[in-house]
Amino acid sequence: MTQQTPPQLTDDGRQLALTLGEGHHRLDALWLRERLPDAETLDPQTGQRLIEAAELPLDLILTQADIQDERLVVAFSDGHRGSITIDELEDAVRCQRSDDNASRVYWDSTLAPPPQASFKQALESDPALLDLLDQLHRFGFVRVTDVPVSEDGMQPLIDRIGPLRRTNWGGIADVKSVANAYDLTMTQRGLEPHTDNPYRDPIPGYIWLHCLTNAADGGDSTLVDGFEAARRLRQQDPDAFACLTEVTPRFRYHDETTRLESEGPLIELDARGEVTRVRYSNRTERIDLMDSALLRRYYAARKAFYQLIRSSELTLELKLSPGEMLIMDNYRLLHGRTAFQLEGGVRHLRQGYVDRDSTASRRLLLKDRLKPAHDSEAGTADNLARTTQGASV
C-alpha cells in the first residue's frame, strides 16, 4: 500500500509518526530497530533475531526516516541504518491475533448447515484441507464425511496435519460401553457438556471422534459453542463472568497407574480481555476450600454458566453415521451425548487427540502457500457466514 504522507520524527526522535493507507501509527525507535529485516539484525533463513535486543540502549532514537521505492529507510543514534518494505511494515503493525480471532463465527442451536468437509478431498487436496482447517478455526468444529470405516481410518488425515497426541490411554482409543468402565464415556449414560482432559498439561487441543457403528437407540452428539456461552454470560451477568475468570479450580484424574492434576479458570482470557479458552468438567473438577463468600460467589457463577451450556438455545444435536467424524476445538467447544440403549444396536466410536500447535501451523502454512486464491474464497465465505448465521460474530 502506498505511503500517504512523509514520516515524521516525534518525541525527540524516540518515535516515528507515519500513515500507512488509512491507518495512523506511532512507532517507537526500539521497536523498529529490533525488527529490521537486514542480515545484521535477523537471520535471512530463519527470521530469528541475531542481535540481543535487551542490550540495545534504552535512550535509542531515530536520526533519519524517509520513504524510498516503497521502503521505509531509517537511521538510529547507535549508528545502525536499515530499511523495511511498506508491506512488511503493514504486516508488522497489524495485530495478527485480533485479525485471526475476528474470523470466528459464534453460533447457537440455529446453526445450519453445520460446517462440513470431505475426508477424501482433504486427504488429496491442499485447498480442501485448508478449507477444513479454516472451518474448524472459525466454528470450533467440523463434521467430516467419507472416513474409512476401520479402526484407524482417521489416521491418514491426522498424519496430514500433525502427530497424534498419545495419552495414558494410548493413541486412538475406543469409545463404547464396557463392563467395569474406567471412565464414564465407556458407559451408556448421557454425558453433560464438557471439555476433555482439563487435568492434563497441556490440555489436548483438538478431539477427533470417528464413528464406526451407531445403531444404538440414542447416543446423539451434543455440541455447545463455549465462546458464545461465555459471551452471553458476560452480557447477562458480568460479576459471574468475572468470577469464573478469576477462580481457578483444580481438575484431577486418578486410576491405578495414573495421577493427572492441573488447574485453571472455567473461562480464560487473553491479554486483550478476549475469551481464549473454556474449561468445564463436572466429573473431574475439585474446588479448594476458600473464603465462604468467594465459594458462594463461585458456585452461583458456575451455575449460571452451566444453565447456559445446558440450554436448548445453545445446544446443537447431531448423530454421527458410520464413516463420519467430528473434529472439535477442545479449548472452545463443549461436547456431550444423549443416553443410549444397546438393545437397539451397537455404538462404537474411536477417539484421538491432535495438539493445537501442529494444527495451527498446518493451517497458517497452507494459507501462506495458497494465499491469493484463499483470500478471495475466504472473503466470500465470511460474508456468507455473517449473513446466514443466527448467532453473534
Side-chain angles (χ1 to χ4, degrees), residues 136-181:
L136 179 59
H137 172 75
R138 292 166 61 221
F139 294 95
F141 79 101
V142 62
R143 187 176 192 166
V144 183
T145 60
D146 310 321
V147 187
V149 185
S150 59
E151 287 203 345
D152 294 329
M154 61 183 173
Q155 185 68 56
L157 189 56
I158 290 177
D159 293 339
R160 279 267 281 162
I161 294 173
L164 178 70
R165 167 80 176 270
R166 296 190 66 85
T167 70
N168 56 300
W169 298 323
I172 299 175
D174 290 302
V175 180
K176 59 182 179 180
S177 180
V178 297
N180 301 316

Side-chain angles (χ1 to χ4, degrees), residues 42-345:
L42 300 181
D43 180 78
Q45 183 172 350
T46 67
Q48 294 177 339
R49 189 182 292 144
L50 297 173
I51 62 170
E52 179 53 66
E55 292 181 353
L56 290 171
L58 296 179
D59 58 356
L60 184 76
I61 62 171
L62 285 151
T63 58
Q64 182 183 348
D66 195 13
I67 300 294
Q68 300 176 13
D69 299 325
E70 295 297 313
R71 299 184 73 90
L72 173 67
V73 181
V74 290
F76 299 88
S77 56
D78 65 352
H80 186 77
R81 298 179 63 88
S83 68
I84 182 172
T85 69
I86 298 302
D87 286 344
E88 288 176 311
L89 194 58
E90 286 183 331
D91 286 342
V93 301
R94 185 184 301 119
C95 183
Q96 298 288 356
R97 290 181 298 180
S98 292
D99 288 347
D100 213 27
N101 290 341
S103 66
R104 288 196 173 113
V105 178
Y106 290 11
W107 50 268
D108 56 25
S109 62
T110 66
L111 177 65
Q116 185 165 303
S118 163
F119 180 92
K120 186 174 185 297
Q121 292 176 11
L123 201 59
E124 297 174 352
S125 161
D126 281 352
L129 178 59
L130 178 56
D131 178 66
L132 182 156
L133 293 172
D134 269 344
Q135 292 193 78
L136 179 59
H137 172 75
R138 292 166 61 221
F139 294 95
F141 79 101
V142 62
R143 187 176 192 166
V144 183
T145 60
D146 310 321
V147 187
V149 185
S150 59
E151 287 203 345
D152 294 329
M154 61 183 173
Q155 185 68 56
L157 189 56
I158 290 177
D159 293 339
R160 279 267 281 162
I161 294 173
L164 178 70
R165 167 80 176 270
R166 296 190 66 85
T167 70
N168 56 300
W169 298 323
I172 299 175
D174 290 302
V175 180
K176 59 182 179 180
S177 180
V178 297
N180 301 316
Y182 58 83
D183 190 87
L184 290 180
T185 59
M186 308 303 182
T187 68
Q188 300 175 46
R189 74 187 295 271
L191 299 178
E192 75 287 347
H194 64 281
T195 57
D196 270 11
N197 295 194
Y199 40 77
R200 295 189 191 276
D201 188 12
I203 297 172
Y206 291 94
I207 306 165
W208 292 53
L209 188 64
H210 174 209
C211 178
L212 298 182
T213 59
N214 199 7
D217 181 17
D220 293 4
S221 296
T222 60
L223 308 177
V224 175
D225 185 352
F227 287 5
E228 171 63 9
R231 185 196 70 80
R232 295 194 185 197
L233 183 67
R234 185 180 227 166
Q235 183 180 60
Q236 297 170 10
D237 192 340
D239 182 69
F241 177 88
C243 180
L244 297 188
T245 67
E246 297 163 2
V247 177
T248 56
R250 299 175 186 270
F251 299 90
R252 56 178 285 179
Y253 176 86
H254 289 186
D255 65 18
E256 293 181 357
T257 61
T258 307
R259 296 290 185 273
L260 296 170
E261 298 187 9
S262 189
E263 64 180 45
L266 299 194
I267 300 174
E268 186 172 325
L269 306 180
D270 63 17
R272 299 178 305 282
E274 296 178 3
V275 177
T276 189
R277 185 188 313 193
V278 294
R279 297 174 176 84
Y280 196 90
S281 178
N282 175 63
R283 288 170 280 158
T284 64
E285 181 200 29
R286 299 292 185 273
I287 186 72
D288 288 343
L289 182 63
M290 56 185 70
D291 176 75
S292 179
L294 181 57
L295 269 177
R296 292 173 186 177
R297 179 177 172 231
Y298 175 77
Y299 290 145
R302 185 181 63 183
K303 183 171 185 176
F305 190 50
Y306 173 76
Q307 289 173 337
L308 280 169
I309 65 176
R310 285 284 288 179
S311 69
S312 59
E313 187 177 358
L314 292 188
T315 302
L316 186 69
E317 288 193 19
L318 55 87
K319 185 162 185 170
L320 292 178
S321 298
E324 291 187 329
M325 172 173 69
L326 282 173
I327 307 177
M328 298 172 282
D329 183 345
N330 194 40
Y331 280 30
R332 173 178 175 179
L333 208 74
L334 297 113
H335 67 285
R337 72 168 182 234
T338 62
F340 61 94
Q341 297 295 326
L342 289 181
E343 288 81 356

Side-chain angles (χ1 to χ4, degrees), residues 6-18:
Q8 299 291 325
L9 301 184
T10 63
D11 192 18
D12 297 325
R14 292 183 180 87
Q15 286 190 326
L16 177 68
L18 76 168

